């Protein structure tokens, strides 16, 4: 099972995520793959999380879709906001 290091935008730390071969292939071909649903403390429900390669900074990020449009943010965008 391939392992990918990605920056978790919610926790603000880097984590290693084990991917299946299909998830790893989707990440390499399309730049994004779903890694399942997660629920953090004080959240009402589960949200889908994705690992994706940011087109702006080129880094790997782990995040959930934000807003009605489902925007995936970059760590530079979060730091600048």
């Amino acid at each position: 099972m391939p392992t990918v290091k990605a920056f978790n935008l919610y926790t603000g730390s880097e984590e290693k995520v084990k991917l299946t071969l299909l998830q790893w292939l989707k990440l390499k071909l399309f730049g994004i793959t779903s890694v399942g649903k997660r629920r953090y403390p004080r959240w009402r429900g589960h949200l889908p999380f994705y690992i994706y390669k940011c087109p702006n900074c080129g880094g790997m990020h782990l995040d959930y879709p934000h807003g009605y449009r489902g925007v995936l943010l970059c760590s530079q965008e979060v730091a600048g906001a």
Side-chain angles (χ1 to χ4, degrees):
M1 292 179 74
T3 303
V4 175
K5 286 184 182 179
F7 185 77
N8 186 330
L9 291 169
Y10 182 76
T11 62
S13 62
E14 187 173 271
E15 66 179 77
K16 293 180 183 178
V17 180
K18 290 183 182 178
L19 300 177
T20 64
L21 191 57
L22 182 60
Q23 288 173 323
W24 180 82
L25 190 59
K26 285 181 181 179
L27 183 61
K28 293 298 175 190
L29 291 174
F30 306 115
I32 187 170
T33 189
S34 173
V35 292
K37 294 186 176 189
R38 292 184 176 197
R39 182 177 179 192
Y40 284 102
R42 296 186 303 242
W43 282 16
R44 294 182 117 182
H46 295 82
L47 288 176
F49 270 73
Y50 298 88
I51 289 183
Y52 56 95
K53 184 173 183 178
C54 178
N56 298 328
C57 71
M60 296 296 250
H61 300 298
L62 175 68
D63 197 19
Y64 59 92
H66 297 270
Y68 291 110
R69 292 184 13 223
V71 177
L72 295 169
L73 300 177
C74 172
S75 60
Q76 294 176 352
E77 293 171 359
V78 172

